[in-house]
Amino acid sequence: MAKKNVNEMSFLDHLEDLRWHLIRIVMAVVIVATFAFIFSRFIFQDIVFAPIYMDFPTYHYLCEIAQLLKIDSTFCNEEMPLIIQNRTMAGQFSADIWTAILGGFLISFPYIIYELWKFISPGLHENERKHSRGFIIISSLLFFVGVLFGYYVITPLSINFLANYSISDLVENQIDISSFIGLVRSSVLAAGLVFELPIIIYFLTKVGLITPQILKKYRKYALVLVLVLSAIITPPDIASQVIVAIPILILYQVSIYISRIVVRNQKRKAK
C-alpha cells in the first residue's frame, strides 16, 4: 500500500510512522553493538583504557608544553597512579555490554540522524528540504568532532587530574571499572551532544523560538552557563575548564551567525 501524504496522515498515523523509524534505529544500534561486543577486547585495550597510559598523545603534547615552559607537570609522569579493578560478579560483563551499546550508538549516529530526518522532512516545504540536504553530514561531523574532543581532551584531563589528586599517601586509587568507564562515557557523549549546538539553534530559529538578538542579549549569561557546564564535565582545575570552555564559546558564536542567516533568509522569502 502506498504511503499516505503527510497532510492526509492522522495523529495515530504519525505515531505509527515514528514507531517504525525508532525500530529501525534500535535495530541499527543493536547490530553495530553486536560487532562492538565481538571486538570488545580491542575496544577496551586500545580505546577505552588507552588514556591510562602515559604515551597517550594528549599527555605527550602537554608534557612537551610543560617542559617548554619549564614547569613540573603530572603529564610527564612515567605511569598513571591508579589501578582499575572489578568488585562485583557481573561487573566486567556489564561494562562490556554497556560499552558495546555506547559504541553502537556512536557509530550509528549518522543513520540515527538519517531516520529522524526522514520522519521530519515530509513536514517541510520543498525549498526547506533542498536547503537542508547537508543536515545529516553537518550534524554527524559536528557530533564526531565533539566525540574526538571529549576523548582526546576532556577524558585525559579528567583522568590525569583525578588520578593524581591525593589527600594522603595512605590512600591508593583503586578505581572500580564502572566508575572509570562512566567517566569516559559521560565525557565523550556530553562533548558530542554539546557540539550539536549550532544544529539545535538552527531549528529553534526556524520555528521562531530563538533569534540572533536573543542570543546576543543573553551572551553574558551563556558565558556563565558554559563555565558551569565546563566545571561539570571536567575536573575542577581552571586550566581544564578554560580548555573545554573555549570551543563551546566558539560554537555559541557560530550559532549566532547561523541564526542570523536563517532570519535573513526568512525575511527575504517574506518579501
Side-chain angles (χ1 to χ4, degrees):
M1 185 174 64
K3 188 175 180 180
K4 293 182 181 180
N5 186 282
V6 66
N7 295 322
E8 299 173 352
M9 296 174 65
S10 66
F11 177 71
L12 292 178
D13 290 331
H14 283 292
L15 285 181
E16 178 67 13
D17 189 35
L18 177 61
R19 185 173 75 91
W20 280 106
H21 285 294
L22 293 178
I23 288 174
R24 286 191 287 269
I25 287 174
V26 172
M27 289 177 60
V29 172
V30 169
I31 291 172
V32 178
T34 301
F35 283 97
F37 184 79
I38 294 173
F39 296 98
S40 61
R41 184 167 292 274
F42 164 77
I43 291 174
F44 276 97
Q45 190 63 36
D46 293 347
I47 300 177
V48 177
F49 292 142
I52 294 177
Y53 303 104
M54 297 309 298
D55 59 353
F56 193 70
T58 305
Y59 303 141
H60 174 73
Y61 292 124
L62 291 177
C63 177
E64 287 187 345
I65 293 174
Q67 291 176 342
L68 186 64
L69 298 175
K70 297 182 180 180
I71 58 176
D72 293 330
S73 173
T74 55
F75 296 118
C76 298
N77 291 348
E78 293 184 359
E79 62 180 18
M80 192 72 68
L82 64 80
I83 299 173
I84 305 297
Q85 63 176 354
N86 174 52
R87 296 181 296 174
T88 59
M89 287 296 294
Q92 295 195 56
F93 180 73
S94 297
D96 206 352
I97 291 293
W98 286 110
T99 301
I101 293 174
L102 176 63
F105 174 80
L106 295 179
I107 298 173
S108 303
F109 187 80
Y111 181 76
I112 294 172
I113 292 296
Y114 169 73
E115 285 292 340
L116 294 176
W117 178 247
K118 282 180 64 179
F119 175 73
I120 296 171
S121 59
L124 300 177
H125 297 294
E126 181 61 32
N127 60 338
E128 291 177 328
R129 287 198 294 269
K130 183 176 66 174
H131 287 95
S132 304
R133 285 174 182 170
F135 166 73
I136 298 173
I137 297 175
I138 295 173
S139 59
S140 299
L141 181 62
L142 286 172
F143 180 77
F144 287 129
V145 170
V147 167
L148 292 175
F149 181 79
Y151 180 72
Y152 282 104
V153 178
I154 299 177
T155 297
L157 287 177
S158 300
I159 292 174
N160 182 267
F161 175 83
L162 296 174
N164 286 281
Y165 188 87
S166 176
I167 57 175
S168 173
D169 293 336
L170 298 175
V171 183
E172 293 184 355
N173 284 327
Q174 298 181 357
I175 311 300
D176 189 78
I177 187 172
S178 61
S179 176
F180 178 84
I181 294 177
L183 185 148
V184 177
R185 179 175 60 242
S186 60
S187 299
V188 169
L189 199 55
L193 295 177
V194 165
F195 271 62
E196 292 294 301
L197 180 62
I199 300 296
I200 296 172
I201 294 298
Y202 171 82
F203 281 103
L204 291 178
T205 305
K206 290 285 288 184
V207 299
L209 295 178
I210 291 292
T211 64
Q213 291 74 24
I214 292 176
L215 293 174
K216 289 180 181 179
K217 179 180 179 182
Y218 293 101
R219 192 191 327 234
K220 57 183 178 182
Y221 301 107
L223 174 60
V224 176
L225 183 61
V226 166
L227 293 176
V228 171
L229 180 62
S230 301
I232 293 174
I233 63 178
T234 60
D237 65 289
I238 301 299
S240 299
Q241 293 175 15
V242 170
I243 291 174
V244 174
I246 288 174
I248 299 178
L249 290 174
I250 294 174
L251 286 171
Y252 187 85
Q253 189 61 40
V254 170
S255 299
I256 295 177
Y257 178 72
I258 291 174
S259 181
R260 187 183 300 132
I261 292 176
V262 172
V263 171
R264 184 190 307 156
N265 290 338
Q266 288 176 337
K267 289 181 179 179
R268 188 177 303 165
K269 291 175 184 177
K271 290 181 180 180

